[in-house]
Amino acid sequence: MDTFIGISLEEQFKCCICLDVLTDPVSTPCGHNFCLVCIRKCWINTDDQCCPICKEKFHTKPELKVNTSFRSVVHYFQWQKGGGNAIVPCNVCSGQKLKAVKSCLDCGTSFCETHLENHKSAPRLIKHKLIDPVKNLDDYICPKHEKPLEQFCRDHQTCVCQFCNETDHRNDSTVSIEEESRERQTHLVKKQEDVQKMIEFRQKKIQEIQNSVKGNKESYKKSKAYSLEVFRSLVHCIERSQAELLNVMEEKQRAAERQAEDFIKELEQEIVELKKRDIELEQLSHTEDHLHLLRIYPSICSPLDTKNWTQARIDTQLSTKTLRIALSQLQESINKELKKLAKTVSKSTLHSTKPRKVSPSCTTTSSSSSTTANIKFGTPAKTVAIAIPEVLGEQHTKYAVNVTLDPNTAYPKLILSADGKQVWHGYTRQNVPNNPERFDTSACVLGKESFSSGRFYYEVQVTGKTMWSLGVVRGSIKRKGMISISPEQGYWTLLLRNETEYLALDNPSIRLSLKQALQKVGVFVDYEEGVVSFYDVEAKSHIYSYTGQSFTENLHTFFFPCNKEESSKPIAICPVTIDK
């Protein structure tokens, strides 16, 4: 995945004074862009004109003119973004019209900041219904009574005004538009998470297919090299048999690559469509244009026409019949000793060329509601039975540290307790700054404390959770966009998924066989030795260790609290106690 982190286009199109998308953009001589009204207000009460960003002073007041080409680019960006509020002009301004900040449903007019003052002070106008500026004001007025549409009739699934509610709909079940919109926005949030899960599933499926093809290529190369070494000493007929067998293997490999390319194209196309739906759902889940939301709600909630990829796999297995014929030809051409060698080679080839089944490493179907979107949990897992020794004791707990959660790193939908010891998923995006340290699309949070030497140990309560991940990470890990969890990316973690599946997210991932469900997990780190170990605190037993790691920067504790149904249940950092 792309590790480049740059300034988004949206930030490029924002004015640093009003922090909104540029309106009538102008450029100062130093090259920075501002809204025309904003920069004029900034200079109105000062004799020295300077750039608000770089502070460069101008000896004469620059003559500011609207950059019409740049303004068109900004407008196009808003439109391309899909539903970004278009700029609505003030209906009262004469000459050059300023940007409207509110529309009045009672007056049927849109007002800029200046012309809106009367609605803030005049007693008769204060009671008017103000909404975010819209161009189609008539759509928000009852055509029969010419009154604002303020109620929603659930029986007839339509918006009505106060007079409609008292006459034609007096016996119907009606609620305020705001209440109905909030309920549907809540449902849209869940829909959006479902779409995000579908995106994540398909992105992981692409990676698994690519890994499968890569593994088949490596297996093919090894098989080819070994067979060439054997067949050099054989007669011409053996060489011919070898060539035929290699041709079959190569054709299978080419067929697998073609199949993988087709799968990837289909998956990428579905990802494009799902991302479009994700953007639409994200915008609608926060919109204040309630009437527009109610009108397009049925179409936006309709299921996308996507393919079920659960059983998708790349088939590269050589047919038994083809191998049998090749071996028969070999047996007819060589002596008894070479026959035995040929049988041994054939068995080895069969095992080495057996295709890897494309199975999800941490997939979530479209029916899941957990926020695992934009996280890649390592590579396909292999099953390993762990012998669990009794190793957890005072020698580890004496290195216990006090860990607290860092709110500046928390994904906006995560909720942290006041003492910074618990975290859970709240579904609703909070109004927090998008600072560089914060995870913006993955439901993760880091600990405040960092460690650059020695040993440390902490414990986490995970009772009642069906999905979580925790451990330690490098301080420089990627925070924006989709993240990939593996030691190569700076993550040393343990994962629970599907209620009972425990994995160490190594490369490849290791499926762990535990005797009992984990209630409390201990994490021990030896910085100099390059070891990260996980323990079952209740059983005082070892779970898994990353060894031979090379730590060169600060380490932070890492928490991913999301699961399916019990999202409100927290994972909690616990005080460490020693049982005598």
Side-chain angles (χ1 to χ4, degrees):
M1 53 182 300
D2 190 2
T3 57
F4 175 76
I5 302 177
I7 301 176
S8 67
L9 281 175
E10 187 173 1
E11 295 299 322
Q12 296 280 14
F13 294 147
K14 282 187 177 180
C15 172
C16 74
I17 299 176
C18 66
L19 303 181
D20 202 350
V21 178
L22 289 163
T23 303
D24 293 334
V26 296
S27 299
T28 55
C30 58
H32 293 113
N33 300 314
F34 307 92
C35 299
L36 177 61
V37 174
C38 292
I39 193 65
R40 282 179 174 174
K41 286 183 178 180
C42 185
W43 288 348
I44 196 169
N45 294 321
T46 178
D47 294 331
D48 295 328
Q49 281 76 38
C50 66
C51 174
I53 296 179
C54 65
K55 306 303 180 184
E56 179 179 343
K57 292 186 177 180
F58 310 118
H59 298 295
T60 58
K61 186 175 182 179
E63 183 179 355
L64 301 176
K65 293 184 179 180
V66 176
N67 187 332
T68 55
S69 298
F70 189 41
R71 180 173 59 185
S72 299
V73 172
V74 174
H75 288 178
Y76 177 77
F77 168 75
Q78 287 184 295
W79 174 81
Q80 192 75 6
K81 191 177 177 183
N85 292 333
I87 297 176
V88 178
C90 174
N91 297 135
V92 183
C93 288
S94 58
Q96 184 178 5
K97 294 183 177 296
L98 299 180
K99 173 185 174 182
V101 296
K102 290 292 180 182
S103 294
C104 177
L105 296 181
D106 293 278
C107 300
T109 305
S110 298
F111 299 96
C112 64
E113 191 69 48
T114 302
H115 292 115
L116 188 66
E117 290 298 325
N118 288 339
H119 280 73
K120 298 178 181 179
S121 57
R124 182 176 61 85
L125 301 178
I126 289 177
K127 297 181 180 180
H128 282 194
K129 181 73 172 181
L130 297 176
I131 62 172
D132 286 341
V134 293
K135 288 185 176 181
N136 52 335
L137 265 173
D138 290 341
D139 292 344
Y140 295 78
I141 305 298
C142 175
K144 183 176 181 180
H145 301 107
E146 296 185 354
K147 293 294 182 181
L149 296 171
E150 298 176 334
Q151 300 288 318
F152 182 78
C153 176
R154 287 178 170 173
D155 293 339
H156 295 87
Q157 292 292 298
T158 186
C159 298
V160 297
C161 70
Q162 179 182 352
F163 290 108
C164 292
N165 191 31
E166 295 173 353
T167 55
D168 297 342
H169 298 267
R170 62 180 177 275
N171 296 323
D172 295 344
S173 173
T174 58
V175 295
S176 68
I177 285 181
E178 290 78 5
E179 179 181 347
E180 182 69 16
S181 179
R182 281 193 297 269
E183 289 187 14
R184 299 198 179 189
Q185 282 179 325
T186 301
H187 181 66
L188 287 176
V189 169
K190 296 180 180 179
K191 278 284 185 182
Q192 181 191 8
E193 290 176 352
D194 290 345
V195 171
Q196 289 174 346
K197 296 308 166 193
M198 295 173 71
I199 293 173
E200 178 196 6
F201 175 80
R202 282 150 180 78
Q203 289 172 332
K204 290 178 180 177
K205 185 61 69 174
I206 289 176
Q207 186 63 47
E208 290 168 6
I209 292 173
Q210 292 172 337
N211 291 340
S212 178
V213 173
K214 181 180 178 182
N216 290 329
K217 280 186 176 181
E218 293 174 355
S219 178
Y220 161 71
K221 291 177 181 178
K222 292 178 182 178
S223 299
K224 180 178 179 180
Y226 190 35
S227 64
L228 286 172
E229 182 181 350
V230 174
F231 280 102
R232 276 194 201 98
S233 62
L234 303 180
V235 293
H236 180 69
C237 65
I238 305 301
E239 294 175 344
R240 185 171 58 252
S241 298
Q242 171 225 358
E244 292 174 355
L245 179 60
L246 290 176
N247 287 337
V248 172
M249 294 171 64
E250 290 172 347
E251 179 58 34
K252 282 287 184 179
Q253 180 61 36
R254 287 193 293 269
E257 292 177 358
R258 290 194 297 269
Q259 185 182 21
E261 290 175 356
D262 293 340
F263 279 0
I264 290 173
K265 287 179 181 178
E266 289 185 57
L267 286 162
E268 288 176 339
Q269 181 59 39
E270 289 192 9
I271 288 173
V272 170
E273 298 301 323
L274 288 167
K275 284 185 176 180
K276 290 180 181 178
R277 178 63 61 88
D278 181 42
I279 292 173
E280 293 173 351
L281 291 169
E282 171 67 19
Q283 293 168 345
L284 288 173
S285 64
H286 297 91
T287 184
E288 294 183 8
D289 190 345
H290 309 296
L291 184 59
H292 175 67
L293 168 63
L294 297 179
R295 284 176 172 163
I296 71 169
Y297 179 84
S299 62
I300 201 68
C301 289
S302 61
L304 290 173
D305 183 16
T306 55
K307 183 177 179 180
N308 184 357
W309 292 94
T310 305
Q311 299 301 323
R313 67 182 66 195
I314 303 301
D315 184 15
T316 59
Q317 188 170 10
L318 294 174
S319 68
T320 304
K321 181 178 179 181
T322 302
L323 288 175
R324 189 184 299 117
I325 293 174
L327 290 175
S328 176
Q329 292 174 345
L330 291 176
Q331 291 170 349
E332 294 173 358
S333 305
I334 60 179
N335 58 34
K336 184 177 180 179
E337 182 178 354
L338 290 180
K339 287 180 182 178
K340 294 179 181 179
L341 177 61
K343 291 180 179 178
T344 303
V345 172
S346 66
K347 291 180 180 179
S348 174
T349 304
L350 279 172
H351 287 299
S352 64
T353 58
K354 185 176 182 180
R356 295 169 58 192
K357 180 179 179 182
V358 181
S359 58
S361 61
C362 188
T363 56
T364 306
T365 63
S366 60
S367 61
S368 171
S369 60
S370 60
T371 306
T372 58
N374 303 302
I375 302 182
K376 181 180 184 299
F377 290 113
T379 55
K382 61 181 181 180
T383 302
V384 175
I386 299 294
I388 306 178
E390 296 288 331
V391 296
L392 181 62
E394 185 175 356
Q395 68 271 30
H396 290 93
T397 54
K398 70 180 180 180
Y399 296 107
V401 293
N402 181 27
V403 176
T404 54
L405 302 171
D406 186 357
N408 291 327
T409 66
Y411 174 63
K413 292 184 180 180
L414 293 183
I415 300 176
L416 276 58
S417 61
D419 61 356
K421 295 293 186 179
Q422 300 185 40
V423 59
W424 62 95
H425 197 291
Y427 280 120
T428 303
R429 182 176 291 271
Q430 304 175 76
N431 186 18
V432 292
N434 186 20
N435 47 283
E437 301 84 10
R438 188 178 306 283
F439 292 92
D440 64 345
T441 58
S442 304
C444 307
V445 62
L446 303 184
K448 286 183 179 179
E449 298 75 16
S450 62
F451 307 90
S452 58
S453 63
R455 302 173 178 176
F456 63 92
Y457 174 80
Y458 70 99
E459 294 178 353
V460 182
Q461 189 81 33
V462 293
T463 303
K465 302 289 287 181
T466 62
M467 183 174 182
W468 50 259
S469 182
L470 57 90
V472 295
V473 299
R474 287 197 297 256
S476 62
I477 59 169
K478 182 179 179 182
R479 315 291 178 91
K480 308 300 182 183
M482 178 180 175
I483 63 175
S484 179
I485 294 185
S486 66
E488 288 75 9
Q489 302 299 326
Y491 293 80
W492 296 270
T493 59
L494 193 70
L495 167 73
L496 168 66
R497 68 179 184 187
N498 301 330
E499 300 186 34
T500 59
E501 295 181 45
Y502 294 92
L503 295 95
L505 298 180
D506 209 328
N507 192 8
S509 299
I510 307 298
R511 185 173 289 113
L512 307 171
S513 298
L514 303 185
K515 294 181 179 179
Q516 62 186 28
L518 294 177
Q519 306 297 321
K520 187 183 293 186
V521 180
V523 184
F524 176 76
V525 178
D526 189 330
Y527 192 96
E528 281 72 25
E529 292 296 325
V531 175
V532 180
S533 298
F534 296 88
Y535 299 91
D536 183 344
V537 176
E538 302 294 330
K540 291 187 177 180
S541 58
H542 176 257
I543 301 173
Y544 183 81
S545 290
Y546 294 88
T547 59
Q549 308 299 311
S550 178
F551 302 137
T552 57
E553 57 182 273
N554 289 351
L555 298 180
H556 290 260
T557 53
F558 170 82
F559 308 88
F560 175 78
C562 184
N563 61 8
K564 295 181 180 178
E565 287 76 29
E566 300 86 2
S567 61
S568 60
K569 293 184 179 180
I571 59 175
I573 302 169
C574 307
V576 177
T577 58
I578 302 175
D579 294 331
K580 300 292 185 178

